Amino acid sequence: MRSLFLLCALILMSLASPAVAQAPSGYAEIYDAPTKVNLGGRPVVADIEFHEKTAGGETRLALVTDVTKFVVETQTDLKNWIANRRSDCGERWASGEPRIRFPEGAIRFSIYLEIEYWSCGWNGQGDPTRLAQETGNVDVTLIPYVENGKLQARLGAFTLSEQTGLSKYLPLEFVVRRALEQELAKLNENPKFYRAPQPLFDENFVYESISAAETKDDRIVITALYKGPASNPARERILRKLRDDGITQ
């Protein structure tokens, strides 16, 4: 399912322009080439850069990528996710145009949201009737983090403004927060999200950290760090599989 929270996983790879940022200090470039990428069934060819540092018996790999164009696509995914939350007898969601930003490594989105509640009478056998409607501007911050080598995400700030409607029947904050927490719980238990992508996973690499930044020219740059056992054969296998098979999450 393409939900809002797949954003956290999808932006880890370059689905957009070549990387524009420098690798972390002490890393040396080991790979830079157009590469097949397949995340969540969305295959593309993207410019991928990897940088490496070896110390203390471990190898660290840094993936630095510009994902500006993909953020625009993800805003459309978010709008579609909301539009699909529609039941003849139950909740019906609608929204305005979303905006996604990356303040200090977090993921923040703001959007105008409308939620209606419809009833179909006793045992759901009657014609749909709207019982209540509530609207408001929703501002949510998601915090990606790494725990025991696994990528995770949690709900940070959550605010509502300019609310209208019948909160007695349809408390907007409760409904939206519940949906967010349900999606996050499913995401954090999904191996396709929390583990390192192939071919890194096969060589026992795990996440070390992840961060996002907005550049002065409004580009979005993601830096994902991975760590694993130091091994020249493993390094060569990773590079060969990157060239031959690409990256799969």
Side-chain angles (χ1 to χ4, degrees), residues 12-13 30-31 48-52 59-63 195-208 224-229 234-242 245-249:
L12 304 185
M13 305 302 170
I30 61 171
Y31 184 87
I48 296 293
E49 282 188 17
F50 270 102
H51 304 260
E52 179 188 55
T59 294
R60 286 174 164 80
L61 297 176
L63 173 61
R195 70 187 186 190
Q198 297 288 17
L200 302 184
F201 178 74
D202 278 348
E203 299 296 342
N204 298 313
F205 276 80
V206 298
Y207 278 99
E208 185 173 24
L225 301 184
Y226 310 91
K227 62 181 179 180
R235 177 180 184 270
E236 293 306 313
R237 285 193 297 268
I238 289 173
L239 294 179
R240 184 178 65 253
K241 290 179 179 178
L242 283 172
D245 302 327
I247 293 177
T248 303
Q249 181 74 33

Side-chain angles (χ1 to χ4, degrees), residues 83 116 154 172 184 219 226 240:
E116 300 175 344
R154 63 179 174 83
L172 186 64
L184 279 171
R219 311 299 294 177
Y226 310 91
R240 184 178 65 253

